[in-house]
Amino acid sequence: MSSLKNFADLKSLGQQLKTQQEAKLRAEAERLEQEKKTKAEANIFRSSIGSVEPLKVAVKHQATPVRPAPIPFQYIADEKAALQESLSDEFDADSLLETDENLSYTRPGVGVDVVRKLRKGHWVIQAQLDLHGLRRDQARDSLGDFLRRCGRNGVRCVRIIHGKGLGSVNKEPVLKHKVRNWLIQKDEVLAFSQATAADGGSGALIVLLKA
């Protein structure tokens, strides 16, 4: 009786092992079938889209930024200050002018022969300023601006045409005296003298500026 029971148990165990083996085989077969199906689907996708190449990336041009020119703030400030500079109309130049008929002027320390050379045309006139028809304030500002430009450009000898005052009230050469006063107050003016007849006579001055 006992041996029959053991046989039955052994048979049942064999059946279980067989069932498990069959289940494992089915699972493996299903896995292989799924892999085959996946590969087939992948081949269909590749076949439909054809060959694939990576996208070409365009080389980007990095433009160099253009820097704005520096603003010369100090130069602008200096120019503004210079334009606002006020030459005194109350300055008395008579005591500084040579007591000759031409009322010439030389700055202290300048050789006495400079005026004589000016009258003889030793220096070539490089620029001139005509103040005819200008009001006093306009003439003063124009003279200051003219002298500054001459200094920047290295101009040494200039002619200032102030006129003879024939068209002014009472025929008095007001601008003529003002120009002399203003020139004496400018440090860059070394000397000046009345122009020769050929260069304007009593209606103009020949001025020598610092180098």
Side-chain angles (χ1 to χ4, degrees), residues 89 134-141 174-175 178 182:
D89 289 329
L134 298 183
R135 300 177 65 86
R136 183 187 63 186
D137 291 344
Q138 293 174 326
R140 182 180 56 207
D141 293 343
V174 177
L175 193 57
K178 293 294 183 183
W182 295 334

Side-chain angles (χ1 to χ4, degrees), residues 17-167:
L17 292 174
K18 182 179 179 182
T19 301
Q20 291 177 357
Q21 184 66 24
E22 289 176 351
K24 183 180 293 186
L25 291 174
R26 284 196 301 272
E28 181 65 17
E30 290 176 358
R31 185 183 68 78
L32 293 174
E33 184 63 24
Q34 185 63 37
E35 285 183 358
K36 183 178 179 181
K37 185 177 180 181
T38 301
K39 288 181 180 180
E41 291 176 351
N43 290 332
I44 293 173
F45 175 74
R46 291 191 182 94
S47 299
S48 62
I49 64 174
S51 59
V52 179
E53 294 181 359
L55 292 175
K56 295 181 179 180
V57 180
V59 178
K60 294 183 179 180
H61 175 67
Q62 300 293 335
T64 303
V66 179
R67 296 184 177 180
I71 301 175
F73 290 106
Q74 187 59 51
Y75 175 77
I76 294 174
D78 291 343
E79 286 293 292
K80 184 176 180 180
L83 289 175
Q84 293 175 344
E85 179 187 61
S86 176
L87 293 172
S88 174
D89 289 329
E90 305 302 323
F91 184 81
D92 182 13
D94 291 343
S95 62
L96 300 176
L97 295 173
E98 295 292 340
T99 56
D100 59 12
E101 60 179 5
N102 296 321
L103 293 179
S104 59
Y105 164 79
T106 53
R107 185 167 298 282
V110 176
V112 294
D113 61 333
V114 170
V115 169
R116 186 178 70 255
K117 290 182 178 180
L118 274 176
R119 293 172 184 164
K120 292 183 177 181
H122 179 79
W123 290 278
V124 177
I125 297 175
Q126 299 171 284
Q128 74 173 20
L129 174 67
D130 191 346
L131 300 176
H132 269 117
L134 298 183
R135 300 177 65 86
R136 183 187 63 186
D137 291 344
Q138 293 174 326
R140 182 180 56 207
D141 293 343
S142 295
L143 178 61
D145 182 61
F146 174 72
L147 294 178
R148 280 188 293 275
R149 284 188 283 110
C150 287
R152 288 197 296 268
N153 296 327
V155 174
R156 290 295 314 278
C157 186
V158 301
R159 175 170 51 190
I160 308 296
I161 303 173
H162 48 64
K164 299 179 181 180
L166 299 179

